[in-house]
Amino acid sequence: MALLRLLAGSCLFLVALLAWSQPPQDVPALRERVTDLTGTLDPGQQAELTARLERLERETGSQLAVLLVPSTAPEDIAAYALRVVDAWQLGRQEVDDGVLLLVAKDDRRMRIEVGYGLEGAIPDARARQIIDTIMAPYFRSGDFAAGIMAGTDAIIALVRGEQLPAPTARRSQDGSDLEGLLPVILIVALVLGGLLRRSFGAFPGSVATGAITGALYIAKATSV
């Protein structure tokens, strides 16, 4: 009997030693609002979920990201979630209104990590309730996609119920928001160009039109 206890203790020690020596998993790069490393979601489900998260950010400013991994071992899910949110920097910096829904599928563990700005809307007890009473029943029946959708919808409803600063329009750094001004500049050039050419002649009118439309474009670009 003593020998069996000794062998059992030795096995547990070896398991703990192996877990301790295993390096932590890398945090995946944030390229999409939904990152599925398990192949659980089909393209249609992923697109639908992404659309919901895009709408939430557009209408409230808050960012919600979903991450599915096979396992977080050797870390527990809480420690891994903290590393993910630290790397991804979800939410607006001045509001800290980001949320991470993390699913470790093979571990059968879920975690909702909430930024400080949403702790009133989604306290730990409420996050646990979403996991236990909304997501887990779907997971137990094998319908992971439905569980993730339902959990996401519950989080979105809580975020929408919180009084957050209004989202601000984001300008594209590649200048794509200038594209909306190009038709206006074209119309101005056609109308104004005709008037100036009739008043001052073809060449002076063309030069004046170019100067005015160029000034409008530069003014818009400077404001961006």
Side-chain angles (χ1 to χ4, degrees), residues 162-177:
E162 184 73 358
Q163 294 296 322
L164 294 171
T168 55
R170 297 186 176 184
R171 295 187 177 95
S172 172
Q173 292 182 353
D174 61 5
S176 59
D177 58 339

Side-chain angles (χ1 to χ4, degrees), residues 106-213:
D106 295 346
D107 298 340
R108 299 179 178 272
R109 300 294 304 275
M110 294 163 272
R111 177 84 178 177
I112 299 173
E113 201 68 40
V114 180
Y116 180 78
L118 287 173
E119 287 183 348
I122 314 175
D124 290 343
R126 190 70 183 91
R128 175 50 56 187
Q129 185 181 19
I130 292 173
I131 290 172
D132 291 343
T133 66
I134 297 177
M135 298 180 65
Y138 285 106
F139 280 32
R140 283 193 290 268
S141 66
D143 196 345
F144 293 96
I148 293 166
M149 291 288 186
T152 300
D153 285 344
I155 295 170
I156 288 174
L158 294 176
V159 172
R160 289 187 180 278
E162 184 73 358
Q163 294 296 322
L164 294 171
T168 55
R170 297 186 176 184
R171 295 187 177 95
S172 172
Q173 292 182 353
D174 61 5
S176 59
D177 58 339
L178 291 175
E179 294 176 0
L181 186 67
L182 293 180
V184 177
I185 293 177
L186 180 60
I187 293 172
V188 170
L190 290 174
V191 175
L192 186 62
L195 292 174
L196 291 175
R197 282 192 294 272
R198 282 197 297 270
S199 299
F200 301 105
F203 181 74
S206 298
V207 172
T209 302
I212 293 172
T213 54

Side-chain angles (χ1 to χ4, degrees), residues 178 181 185 211-224:
L178 291 175
L181 186 67
I185 293 177
I212 293 172
T213 54
L216 286 174
Y217 188 86
I218 292 172
K220 176 62 177 175
T222 304
S223 69
V224 174

Side-chain angles (χ1 to χ4, degrees), residues 31-52:
R31 295 189 176 92
E32 304 288 343
R33 290 175 171 83
V34 180
T35 304
D36 181 9
L37 304 182
T38 65
T40 298
L41 303 173
D42 63 36
Q45 292 165 340
Q46 188 154 343
E48 180 182 351
L49 186 56
T50 298
R52 297 183 190 186

